Amino acid sequence: MPNAHACVWLHGAGLSSKTFAAFCADDPKAVCLDLPGHNGAPRAAQPTVLAFAKALLPSLPKTPDRSALIGRLLGMVAMELAAANHPKNFMVHTQS
């Protein structure tokens, strides 16, 4: 898919980026992130959704095209906050 947008996959609480590794394996535009304090990622100063979102912002793709943020549970809330900081650059998808 040459014109595909970057996809950012974010796991829920108690999981890790390995949760979505199969989705990212063959897609060079796919990014699997770890929430703070998960899978060896540094802990956030406070365990709040806002702190998680702020910690993830530097890891989000810096592309001129829109990116899709895909996740569930706590990961989804953090991604919504991250998308709110750059509303023109991200589409948010809820997976239940």
Side-chain angles (χ1 to χ4, degrees):
M1 298 174 63
N3 294 324
H5 299 295
C7 291
V8 179
W9 295 84
L10 189 61
H11 61 85
L15 301 173
S16 75
S17 59
K18 295 174 186 176
T19 303
F20 297 117
F23 294 102
C24 297
D26 296 326
D27 185 352
K29 290 187 174 185
V31 179
C32 294
L33 298 178
D34 283 303
L35 288 169
H38 292 74
N39 198 35
R43 293 187 176 275
Q46 295 184 13
T48 65
V49 171
L50 183 57
F52 284 9
K54 286 181 179 181
L56 294 172
L57 284 174
S59 300
L60 295 176
K62 312 278 190 287
T63 62
D65 297 326
R66 290 174 59 113
S67 298
L69 300 172
I70 305 166
R72 57 183 306 161
L73 305 172
L74 182 56
M76 191 64 233
V77 176
M79 288 191 326
E80 285 187 42
L81 288 172
N85 287 289
H86 301 284
K88 294 180 182 177
N89 295 332
F90 294 100
M91 298 174 286
V92 178
H93 173 72
T94 303
Q95 181 184 31
S96 54

